[in-house]
Amino acid sequence: MTAPGTLVVLADEAALTRAVADHFVETAQAALAERGRFDVALSGGSTPKAVYALLATAARDALAWSRVRFFFGDERCVPPDDPESNYKTAEDGLLRPLGIDPAHVFRMRGEDDPAAAARAYADLLRDELGAEPAFDLVLLGMGPDGHTASLFPGADPLTGDAELVRAPWVEKFSTYRITLTPRVINASRSIAIAAGGAGKAPVLRDVREGPYDPTLHPIQIVDPRDGELFWFVDAAAASELAQ
Ligand code: 6PG
């Protein structure tokens, strides 16, 4: 199978970080020029931390940050000040350093009952983005098991796709998560997947060149309906790709 989207292979982690930050800025500048605003869903995990640091410094003057609204692709079921919180990672590395108005930050309430938090976030998305929410950019990572956002192997990622947000039980971590569904992710005008390091090489090969099985590799469900998809990877992660 040849996976959808454009594969961009960068020399190393630093180049990967720069490429993702550049894509963020370019996508934001285009959206601000076209529509006067930029709605982005941030990813979790550790890969974004270096991108946030670069955006908060080198890109500080690159765009009208006051016109950017920040949402989240997924969240752990923890309070917002917990080190595990994707919101805290963004708050510490990007939002506070850039002085983003908290009214422009829409976090998933990981401290609440998961199902209730998922319903509340779906309502928020409808209020802020309309009945079929479409982001200008969704940033995603990829786990070594082929998960993305909090769509983990073992469950058909399209299950519950009538919803905008859901709260799956994640056996691997014995916890609930809150996540956008593929319906929302694939409505985005642009999707950027960022994956680096040799640890991601086997799954990147399987995902991009192996059979299509999104129950096994949920990230294979990522295929924007009308938007663009970029895979930003470094040479180490791409080292097992045949092409
Ligand atoms: C999360 C993320 C998750 C992450 C991948 C990759 O909440 O953990 O949303 O989907 O993007 O696990 O994480 P790394 O970038 O840290 O490898």
Side-chain angles (χ1 to χ4, degrees):
M1 146 189 183
T2 303
T6 303
L7 180 71
V8 182
V9 181
L10 292 310
D12 54 29
E13 189 177 349
L16 171 60
T17 297
R18 283 194 301 274
V20 177
D22 287 348
H23 183 73
F24 184 110
V25 169
E26 287 155 18
T27 311
Q29 288 172 335
L32 290 169
E34 222 174 288
R35 282 184 299 282
R37 70 182 208 194
F38 177 59
D39 294 326
V40 57
L42 301 176
S43 76
S46 57
T47 300
K49 289 177 181 174
V51 176
Y52 294 164
L54 197 54
L55 289 173
T57 51
R60 183 174 203 85
D61 301 322
L63 53 105
W65 288 100
S66 63
R67 310 293 289 274
V68 180
R69 299 194 302 172
F70 296 88
F71 298 78
F72 289 82
D74 71 323
E75 186 55 277
R76 290 82 180 278
C77 290
V78 294
D81 59 354
D82 187 298
E84 280 295 302
S85 163
N86 290 335
Y87 162 78
K88 176 173 172 47
T89 300
E91 172 67 13
D92 292 349
L94 180 68
L95 306 174
R96 187 167 56 248
L98 284 174
I100 300 298
D101 179 348
H104 296 169
V105 180
F106 303 89
R107 68 178 184 87
M108 296 170 166
R109 291 179 55 86
E111 68 272 33
D112 290 351
D113 167 77
R119 285 193 300 274
Y121 205 72
D123 290 344
L124 181 151
L125 291 180
R126 279 187 280 265
D127 290 347
E128 296 297 334
L129 298 170
E132 276 307 325
F135 290 104
D136 293 301
L137 175 62
V138 171
L139 293 178
L140 294 172
M142 178 180 68
D145 59 358
H147 82 259
T148 193
S150 282
L151 303 170
F152 283 83
D156 178 350
L158 285 175
T159 305
D161 208 35
E163 299 306 317
L164 302 176
V165 186
R166 64 176 188 271
W169 172 258
V170 182
E171 191 59 41
K172 176 177 185 175
F173 299 128
S174 302
T175 184
Y176 284 98
R177 287 278 190 96
I178 305 163
T179 187
L180 297 182
T181 61
R183 171 177 164 191
V184 177
I185 292 170
N186 286 332
S188 184
R189 295 178 186 87
S190 183
I191 301 174
I193 297 171
K200 303 284 173 76
V203 71
L204 187 66
R205 177 203 61 220
D206 294 346
V207 163
R208 289 196 58 86
E209 299 174 349
Y212 179 76
D213 180 358
T215 300
L216 181 62
H217 295 125
I219 200 167
Q220 288 183 321
I221 206 74
V222 176
D223 185 2
R225 289 191 282 280
D226 302 313
E228 58 182 17
L229 170 60
F230 287 93
W231 288 76
F232 294 105
V233 302
D234 63 13
S239 59
E240 296 191 21
L241 293 179
Q243 48 200 349

